[in-house]
Amino acid sequence: MMSAGMETRSMGAVMAGIEAPVVIPSKPKHNLVSRQAKATDTVVQVGPVALGGPRFVVIAGPCSVESPEQMIATARAVKDSGATILRGGAFKPRTSPYSFQGMGEDGLTLLALAREVTGLPVVTEVMDSEDLAVVAAYADMIQIGARNVQNFSLLKKLGRVNQPILLKRGLMTTIDEFLMSAEYILAAGNPQVVLCERGIRTFETATRNTLDLSAVCVLKERTHLPVIVDPSHAVGARRFVAPLARAAMAVGADGVMVEVHCSPESALCDGDQSLCPSDFAHMMDELVVMGPSLHRAL
Ligand code: PEP
Ligand code: MN
């Protein structure tokens, strides 16, 4: 079935007897993600949490789901400190094929358990379209990681999902390209997209990536979609996470996503950048104090 605004352009007979219909959304006057297309801020609802509204939203949890104990303890800790969305990866994009790849569907069931225990909605990554149905069955918000930001066939499939999407900027993606990736999802029919700046690759090696805070300002000017910041993957070292989370709030982001682990030294992934629960509680206290001066309650 074709959705509204779609048209079929025939490529003509590519082989005798074979017609290759190509469905291309008809081009709107302005890109759907742009402020010209929609002046008012889009608010994306993730369970009971409004992303892009007046409240600054904090998403927190481990890089990866590792065990029931780890997931439940972390979920409880981040909730106690005021996080309102829980994160945790079950399908992990790892640089090395020999690194922990995630628990797969077993990890999704543990996320669902943590949601049941805490009431927090969950966000988790899908890497491959063959896992989209199972991830969508468990997640309240589906994450597209930095490495898949220009996986256009996956983006088109997310356009046909009736669930919010957390789209992370790629390591080498310009702001225009990032917005075009979001456009793919909207053009295919899903307006519930949240953008996440998570650091880009530059000549600098002192930090894991370079957090492009100016991208937040530019994105907020150009698009009506909510914009959040992931300081953990941007900087790669836990001592810099809280200062960059504060900077994200100051620059006008709609929220942050932060990695938290109850024993970061034994984390199966990204322990160096994971906050322990007490560090996270301290970061939250600071954001609560800062919020009112920026008209941003938590
Ligand atoms: C993550 O959030 O778990 C992750 C892998 O992030 P990124 O895609 O930004 O590297
Ligand atoms: Mn991680």
Side-chain angles (χ1 to χ4, degrees):
M1 256 272 283
M2 242 185 290
S3 45
M6 309 284 267
E7 62 185 67
T8 300
R9 289 186 204 158
S10 170
M11 296 283 284
V14 287
M15 281 174 66
I18 300 176
E19 187 85 354
V22 177
V23 179
I24 302 173
S26 45
K27 173 112 178 67
K29 185 158 171 254
H30 297 289
N31 286 339
L32 300 172
V33 297
S34 71
R35 288 265 181 209
Q36 286 75 22
K38 180 173 179 281
T40 55
D41 288 345
T42 289
V43 176
V44 173
Q45 201 66 37
V46 185
V49 180
L51 248 164
R55 283 185 182 274
F56 188 80
V57 172
V58 178
I59 305 173
C63 179
S64 309
V65 181
E66 297 173 7
S67 70
E69 297 74 23
Q70 172 249 15
M71 204 53 234
I72 302 292
T74 315
R76 285 199 165 119
V78 299
K79 185 185 179 176
D80 286 351
S81 296
T84 52
I85 302 178
L86 180 65
R87 65 151 285 146
F91 295 92
K92 294 304 303 175
R94 303 305 301 278
T95 302
S96 164
Y98 309 115
S99 300
F100 176 59
Q101 302 286 306
M103 292 180 71
E105 188 169 359
D106 289 346
L108 297 176
T109 64
L110 296 182
L111 274 176
L113 180 65
R115 169 176 52 208
E116 206 177 299
V117 170
T118 59
L120 296 178
V122 300
V123 56
T124 194
E125 176 165 354
V126 67
M127 290 204 306
D128 193 305
S129 58
E130 77 177 17
D131 302 316
L132 181 53
V134 71
V135 171
Y138 289 94
D140 297 288
M141 175 157 66
I142 301 172
Q143 177 171 319
I144 296 300
R147 290 152 192 85
N148 261 326
V149 69
Q150 290 191 311
N151 182 340
F152 301 118
S153 61
L154 182 57
L155 297 178
K156 285 181 199 172
K157 291 191 175 87
L158 292 163
R160 299 197 285 271
V161 166
N162 183 22
Q163 251 160 298
I165 308 298
L166 179 60
L167 181 66
K168 299 189 84 174
R169 184 179 180 186
L171 283 76
M172 302 288 282
T173 319
T174 66
I175 292 171
D176 280 341
E177 289 165 346
F178 187 25
L179 285 171
M180 271 305 177
S181 292
E183 186 76 16
Y184 262 90
I185 303 173
L186 270 73
N190 185 354
Q192 307 167 79
V193 176
V194 176
L195 302 173
C196 180
E197 160 60 39
R198 49 76 73 209
I200 51 175
R201 183 164 284 184
T202 67
F203 57 84
E204 183 53 72
T205 55
T207 52
R208 183 175 181 182
N209 292 288
T210 298
L211 180 59
D212 184 6
L213 279 175
S214 49
V216 178
C217 312
V218 175
L219 288 168
K220 291 298 292 180
E221 184 180 80
R222 292 209 193 148
T223 180
H224 51 85
L225 297 174
V227 180
I228 69 165
V229 166
D230 170 353
S232 307
H233 290 90
V235 76
R238 80 174 63 87
R239 66 190 180 285
F240 300 130
V241 169
L244 291 181
R246 298 197 300 269
M249 180 187 258
V251 86
D254 296 298
V256 286
M257 179 160 77
V258 171
E259 288 187 338
V260 178
H261 197 286
C262 288
S263 48
E265 56 295 333
S266 61
L268 295 180
C269 183
D270 286 348
D272 290 348
Q273 67 196 34
S274 299
L275 301 183
C276 66
S278 62
D279 289 343
F280 179 69
H282 189 237
M283 183 201 91
M284 292 296 284
D285 288 346
E286 291 173 335
L287 293 178
V288 167
V289 171
M290 273 181 73
S293 65
L294 297 159
H295 312 288
R296 250 17 236 271
L298 256 73

